[in-house]
Amino acid sequence: MTTPPYEVLANDTTLLTFDGRVLELFGFGDAHRPHIWQEPRLEFGTGRKPRMGTVIGQPGVSRRSLPYDPERGVAETATLM
């Protein structure tokens, strides 16, 4: 396993980065930066147009959704972050 910072291109328009303290999600001109103390989690959907959601705290408290390409191995890479 490598050390931070991590950077994953989830698809052609979505980028995830993690520096050990802040998870940054960039996509479609939107940016979301939850801090590690907020306990962000990524949840990956399936289907024809899969999306990944960022959940902070209890499920449904704060959620952002961005597209991702499962063929890029994003879900597997994100577990290493």
Side-chain angles (χ1 to χ4, degrees):
M1 186 161 90
T2 61
T3 58
Y6 302 103
E7 190 170 286
V8 178
L9 191 58
N11 69 11
D12 292 337
T13 61
T14 306
L15 174 69
L16 288 78
T17 66
F18 181 66
D19 67 1
R21 297 176 300 138
V22 177
L23 174 64
E24 297 180 299
L25 300 108
F26 302 98
F28 293 116
D30 188 22
H32 184 55
R33 296 178 176 91
H35 195 276
I36 195 72
W37 64 263
Q38 293 175 296
E39 300 177 4
R41 294 183 316 278
L42 294 174
E43 296 179 348
F44 295 90
T46 59
R48 192 171 61 87
K49 293 184 179 182
R51 297 185 67 81
M52 64 181 167
T54 309
V55 178
I56 298 173
Q58 299 297 320
V61 171
S62 177
R63 184 175 179 100
R64 300 275 178 125
S65 178
L66 293 167
Y68 80 99
D69 182 358
E71 307 223 345
R72 293 188 187 210
V74 177
E76 295 81 10
T77 305
T79 60
L80 300 175
M81 293 181 163

